[in-house]
Amino acid sequence: MQTEVQPEFTTERLSLRAWSLDDLDFIVAMDMDPDVGRYLYPHGRPTIQERTVISRRRINSGWPKQGGMWFVEWAESGDPLGWCGMFPLEDSGLVEIGYRFDTAAWGKGIATEAARKVLDLGFGTFEFDPIVAVTHPKNVGSQTVLKNTGLKPDGTKFQYGLEQKFYSLRRADYLISR
């Protein structure tokens, strides 16, 4: 499904809006944090310049054409936390949910809260089926978020340059659980 305008929405604690170039510095700084990037760069950490070019290109191009990317902030203060989105899983035809948050946001249920809202949109409005995710085998935090949002372990897949844990959720199963 092609998405033209990214809806904005809130949860009990969070505000999610389409990401923009105003968010670029935060996104790049977060991506370059060694703790955030621990499982993201199996073939070597990019430079700040490389990460800036990639992020700027994605924001300017309206990436992704299928799904959406939302910048996540505290609803009350507007302080930035990270991003959550749905986008095509490379070369598969499937839609992946993904997220990345600043380390100060870890352990507070923020990723789970944002991902649940994005899944609501993905299954409800966009009618994606299924929605999948991949995560590094050692990234227990991300695996916990996926399980807490209802995605189920579904083996492994070679994605993003290495064998990853694969998770999936069918639309019917998600709607039954709501």
Side-chain angles (χ1 to χ4, degrees):
M1 163 176 247
Q2 176 81 19
T3 54
E4 298 295 325
V5 176
Q6 300 302 317
E8 296 185 8
F9 42 92
T10 59
T11 67
E12 185 177 324
R13 302 180 297 161
L14 308 175
S15 175
L16 290 84
R17 59 169 173 75
W19 65 352
S20 73
L21 286 177
D22 291 339
D23 308 317
L24 185 63
D25 289 342
F26 178 86
I27 290 168
V28 171
M30 178 181 64
D31 286 350
M32 297 308 295
D33 181 308
D35 289 327
V36 172
R38 179 180 323 140
Y39 303 116
L40 298 176
Y41 310 116
H43 305 297
R45 181 175 304 285
T47 66
I48 291 174
Q49 294 79 14
E50 291 167 333
R51 198 66 234 167
T52 300
V53 166
I54 290 167
S55 296
R56 180 180 287 122
R57 185 180 319 124
R58 284 183 172 174
I59 293 168
N60 280 337
S61 71
W63 180 88
K65 299 302 181 201
Q66 182 182 32
M69 290 296 292
W70 293 272
F71 195 73
V72 181
E73 304 165 316
W74 286 115
E76 199 167 291
S77 68
D79 291 339
L81 297 165
W83 60 259
C84 187
M86 294 175 291
F87 38 86
L89 179 64
E90 62 181 24
D91 303 325
S92 73
L94 298 170
V95 173
E96 174 184 11
I97 185 167
Y99 39 81
R100 194 167 304 155
F101 291 94
D102 186 70
T103 56
W106 292 4
K108 298 177 180 163
I110 291 165
T112 299
E113 189 173 329
R116 283 182 177 148
K117 193 67 174 176
V118 169
L119 284 172
D120 285 343
L121 186 69
F123 285 124
T125 303
F126 297 158
E127 298 182 351
F128 294 139
D129 190 22
I131 295 177
V132 303
V134 295
T135 185
H136 191 284
K138 294 181 181 176
N139 192 342
V140 176
S142 186
Q143 293 165 32
T144 299
V145 170
L146 294 173
K147 289 174 188 172
N148 287 344
T149 58
L151 278 85
K152 305 286 186 237
D154 196 8
T156 61
K157 296 237 187 262
F158 189 82
Q159 297 289 162
Y160 305 114
L162 70 142
E163 197 69 21
Q164 305 258 19
K165 286 197 171 204
F166 183 74
Y167 289 76
S168 64
L169 183 58
R170 306 281 325 172
R171 184 172 186 261
D173 294 333
Y174 183 77
L175 296 174
I176 287 170
S177 71
R178 297 322 280 153

